[in-house]
């Protein structure tokens, strides 16, 4: 009795706060006073108007920003002007963007499915609790997994410390801090400093899996050989022997329960925690098979994204 009710193929547009968010409804619906609606006359294609609504959004945001309160009322919305072609051309444009959006939705669904498949496999391809055999494994592998510690395979490494006054807002070599790890660098060092520090001190090899040791502990980035430098103590890697493979570590790290910090308020992974953490490990052939499977899954997920 009190809601505003509109038929299917009506476009809803937010008119306050987050102005200009648009949606085409596909069934009879209702909405509150913070939303404006446009129910097209029969000679106007709803999907064409929805696609064109990004143009209205810009105008609405400009209009809303000019007032005391960021909003666009019904009268202001009604007076917005836009260009519209003949119905036949509207339909062609509407069909094009309908097909594009359907394709985007299809890939998004495939991506979501693959993410769920990956999550399920991670749970089933690693031994649980006190078991030393996973629920699912590749044909031909029957050996039990060994329980070991990361310290059995190597030591924790990190780059030599770079102080803030040695960095700049722009430059030759990106310097990744814990806040920009896995993202876009906001600090840089010179080529000369990079070459010197790389040759004199610890530096990751191509393929090493870098790990966040503070903040959100356990975030990973594979080092692919690019010119970059990484913040000491906050970004580390396992300098290991050939008994454990990087392709397997990349899959293993997200499943690890780190020694001494699980369930605690500690926000740092110290070297001792890292090296004393117990893990279940198969032989190197099975490590490679597992690593390759998840590499292919990640590539497929990235493709659909």
């Amino acid at each position: 009795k009190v809601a505003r009710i509109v038929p299917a193929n009506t476009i809803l547009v937010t008119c306050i706060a987050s102005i200009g968010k648009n949606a085409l409804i596909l069934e009879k619906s209702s909405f509150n006073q913070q939303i404006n609606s446009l129910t097209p006359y029969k000679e106007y294609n709803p999907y064409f108007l929805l696609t064109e609504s990004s143009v209205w959004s810009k105008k609405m945001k400009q209009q809303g920003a000019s007032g005391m309160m960021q909003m666009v009322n019904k009268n202001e919305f009604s007076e917005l002007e836009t260009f519209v072609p003949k119905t036949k051309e509207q339909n062609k444009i509407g069909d094009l963007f309908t097909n594009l959006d359907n394709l985007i939705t299809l890939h998004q669904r495939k991506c979501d499915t693959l993410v769920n498949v990956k999550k399920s496999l991670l749970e089933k391809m690693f031994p649980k609790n006190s078991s030393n055999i996973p629920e699912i494994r590749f044909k031909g592998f029957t050996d039990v997994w060994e329980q070991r510690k990361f310290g059995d395979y190597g030591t924790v490494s990190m780059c030599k410390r770079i102080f803030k006054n040695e960095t700049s807002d722009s430059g030759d070599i990106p310097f990744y801090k814990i806040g920009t790890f896995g993202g876009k660098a906001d600090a840089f060092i010179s080529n000369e400093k990079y070459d010197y520090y790389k040759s004199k001190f610890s530096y990751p090899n191509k393929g090493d899996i870098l790990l966040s040791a503070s903040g959100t502990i356990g975030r990973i980035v594979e080092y692919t050989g690019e010119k970059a430098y990484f913040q000491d103590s906050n970004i580390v890697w396992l300098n290991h022997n050939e008994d454990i493979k990087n392709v397997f570590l990349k899959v293993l790290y997200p499943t690890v329960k780190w020694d001494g910090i699980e369930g605690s308020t500690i926000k740092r992974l110290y070297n001792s925690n890292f090296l004393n953490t117990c893990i279940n490990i198969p032989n190197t052939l099975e490590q490679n098979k597992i690593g390759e499977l998840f590499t292919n899954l990640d590539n497929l997920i990235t493709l659909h994204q």
Side-chain angles (χ1 to χ4, degrees):
K1 292 182 179 180
V2 296
R4 303 177 185 187
I5 299 173
V6 290
N9 290 321
T10 292
I11 299 167
L12 303 184
V13 185
T14 56
C15 59
I16 193 169
S18 299
I19 293 174
K21 289 167 63 178
N22 315 312
L24 178 67
I25 58 169
L26 302 179
E27 58 188 353
K28 187 177 180 181
S29 303
S30 62
F31 55 95
N32 69 10
Q33 71 276 10
Q34 295 177 322
I35 295 173
N36 287 318
S37 69
L38 177 69
T39 304
Y41 297 131
K42 63 182 180 180
E43 64 266 31
Y44 295 104
N45 183 294
Y47 217 91
F48 167 81
L49 292 172
L50 174 70
T51 306
E52 195 187 36
S53 63
S54 60
V55 178
W56 319 339
S57 296
K58 291 178 183 177
K59 292 181 180 180
M60 290 174 67
K61 288 171 184 174
Q62 291 169 353
Q63 201 162 312
S66 64
M68 291 284 288
M69 179 184 292
Q70 285 212 341
M71 67 173 293
V72 176
N73 63 37
K74 184 178 178 181
N75 290 334
E76 291 170 330
F77 180 67
S78 298
E79 291 300 318
L80 285 173
E81 294 184 346
T82 190
F83 288 98
V84 181
K86 298 292 185 182
T87 305
K88 188 175 180 180
E89 189 172 3
Q90 288 180 47
N91 291 338
K92 292 289 282 184
I93 294 171
D95 289 346
L96 168 66
F97 285 99
T98 298
N99 292 335
L100 271 175
D101 284 343
N102 288 342
L103 198 56
I104 290 168
T105 300
L106 177 65
H107 282 293
Q108 183 61 59
R109 286 174 181 165
K110 286 182 178 179
C111 184
D112 292 343
T113 299
L114 287 169
V115 168
N116 288 332
V117 167
K118 180 182 176 181
K119 182 180 178 183
S120 178
L121 287 175
L122 281 172
E123 291 175 355
K124 294 178 183 294
M125 294 190 74
F126 287 81
K128 293 180 181 177
N129 304 321
S130 58
S131 174
N132 55 10
I133 297 176
E135 185 178 340
I136 292 177
R137 62 197 310 191
F138 287 100
K139 186 177 179 180
F141 293 100
T142 57
D143 294 344
V144 298
W145 289 31
E146 295 183 1
Q147 188 173 76
R148 305 289 289 273
K149 294 181 178 180
F150 280 115
D152 295 332
Y153 296 99
T155 58
V156 177
S157 290
M158 64 192 73
C159 289
K160 176 72 172 176
R161 175 161 294 185
I162 293 281
F163 293 96
K164 186 176 181 180
N165 61 0
E166 298 178 87
T167 69
S168 59
D169 294 336
S170 61
D172 305 315
I173 308 299
F175 173 61
Y176 291 95
K177 299 169 286 187
I178 194 63
T180 55
F181 182 58
K184 186 176 180 181
D186 61 4
F188 298 83
I189 61 174
S190 67
N191 251 317
E192 293 75 18
K193 191 176 292 293
Y194 167 76
D195 289 336
Y196 175 76
Y197 275 50
K198 182 183 177 185
S199 65
K200 295 290 184 181
F201 307 105
S202 297
Y203 192 80
N205 294 312
K206 184 177 180 180
D208 279 340
I209 310 301
L210 308 180
L211 188 76
S212 62
S214 68
T216 304
I217 293 169
R219 289 186 293 126
I220 59 171
V221 169
E222 181 179 358
Y223 176 63
T224 56
E226 71 279 12
K227 283 189 170 185
Y229 208 77
F230 305 93
Q231 189 177 31
D232 66 291
S233 75
N234 287 334
I235 300 172
V236 301
W237 65 94
L238 184 68
N239 186 15
H240 57 82
N241 59 32
E242 285 299 309
D243 291 332
I244 192 167
K245 302 297 183 180
N246 281 323
V247 71
F248 180 73
L249 280 175
K250 188 176 180 181
V251 184
L252 175 67
Y253 279 144
T255 71
V256 167
K257 294 183 178 180
W258 298 102
D259 177 71
I261 66 171
E262 286 295 316
S264 75
T265 58
I266 297 173
K267 296 298 181 184
R268 172 166 290 283
L269 180 66
Y270 292 100
N271 291 0
S272 59
N273 300 121
F274 194 146
L275 299 176
N276 287 324
T277 295
C278 290
I279 48 176
N280 288 307
I281 296 288
N283 62 46
T284 53
L285 287 176
E286 192 169 4
Q287 288 181 40
N288 283 328
K289 290 286 285 184
I290 292 170
E292 288 168 7
L293 169 67
F294 284 96
T295 296
N296 291 335
L297 264 177
D298 285 339
N299 290 340
L300 204 52
I301 289 168
T302 299
L303 178 66
H304 284 298
Q305 285 174 338

